[in-house]
Amino acid sequence: MKVKNGKDFWAGLMFAGTGLAFVVGSQNYPMGSAVRMGPAYFPTLLGGLLAILGAVIFLRAFFSKIEHSTRVFPFRLPVLIAALVIGGATFLADSLFKNAPMAEFALTALALGLFIGAFGPRAMFVILIAVVIYGYALKPLGLVISTVILIVMSALGGHDFRKKEIVILTIVMALFSVFVFVKGLGLPFNLWPGE
């Protein structure tokens, strides 16, 4: 059987893989029932639905009337192998990092960055790394600086970098984040480092 639509092929694999990962990952928790849901109920149900949707989209790739190559995005096998080796070594040597959590964090971040960089164009890699850095930087650097880092790094992933637009967007988004999440909703975010 020949793959006719590469976009459906890869999207179906991604959806099915993500759904199955949630189903398998939630099996360590009690399931419960529809009346008394346990912690595994929602991820298992949603993961199962996502896996079924992925399987349908995956199968549609073989019968689609729209022709797309499976080379939808660039794939870099050496980068993927490096990511798996670094990530696997970090996982297996977990006991070595008890006194050096920053080294483990750095190696894990490197493995994740390489894994993301193995797939897709540069823009996707830069934006996903920006989101990961934002998540890790939020607590130590505060909401304002993390938002600045997120917006500037994401802008670097685009085709053109206009300084004036980026400065305006950064100021507006930082103020928006502070007023909505901290002042409006009362979420306990640090605004600045050391708070």
Side-chain angles (χ1 to χ4, degrees):
M1 221 176 216
K2 183 182 178 225
V3 175
K4 294 183 179 177
N5 191 334
K7 290 182 179 181
D8 284 348
F9 178 81
W10 292 113
L13 277 179
M14 181 190 68
F15 288 149
T18 304
L20 289 174
F22 274 101
V23 169
V24 171
S26 63
Q27 295 310 304
N28 293 333
Y29 300 101
M31 181 68 127
S33 65
V35 177
R36 261 183 108 73
M37 296 179 196
Y41 189 85
F42 189 68
T44 302
L45 184 68
L46 221 52
L49 290 173
L50 189 60
I52 292 169
L53 175 67
V56 169
I57 293 172
F58 178 77
L59 291 175
R60 192 175 76 172
F62 296 98
F63 304 105
S64 178
K65 293 179 181 174
I66 301 170
E67 294 281 336
H68 283 291
S69 168
T70 53
R71 304 238 352 122
V72 175
F73 53 83
F75 174 69
R76 300 166 196 90
L77 184 61
V79 177
L80 179 64
I81 291 171
L84 294 175
V85 167
I86 293 171
T90 305
F91 177 75
L92 292 174
D94 187 43
S95 61
L96 298 176
F97 296 108
K98 295 296 182 201
N99 295 328
M102 287 307 291
E104 181 179 21
F105 167 74
L107 286 174
T108 305
L110 176 63
L112 179 62
L114 288 172
F115 184 80
I116 293 169
F119 304 94
R122 177 185 167 273
M124 183 179 80
F125 172 71
V126 172
I127 291 170
L128 286 173
I129 290 298
V131 172
V132 170
I133 289 173
Y134 175 78
Y136 279 112
L138 193 56
K139 189 170 183 174
L141 297 181
L143 181 64
V144 175
I145 294 175
S146 299
T147 303
V148 170
I149 291 170
L150 173 69
I151 293 171
V152 171
M153 278 192 68
S154 297
L156 290 172
H159 296 293
D160 53 344
F161 187 86
R162 298 185 183 132
K163 291 178 185 173
K164 184 179 178 182
E165 290 178 6
I166 302 305
V167 168
I168 292 170
L169 179 65
T170 302
I171 292 169
V172 169
M173 289 305 295
L175 288 173
F176 177 81
S177 298
V178 168
F179 282 111
V180 169
F181 297 116
V182 177
K183 304 292 184 200
L185 296 174
L187 297 176
F189 287 126
N190 297 337
L191 292 181
W192 302 102
E195 285 187 3

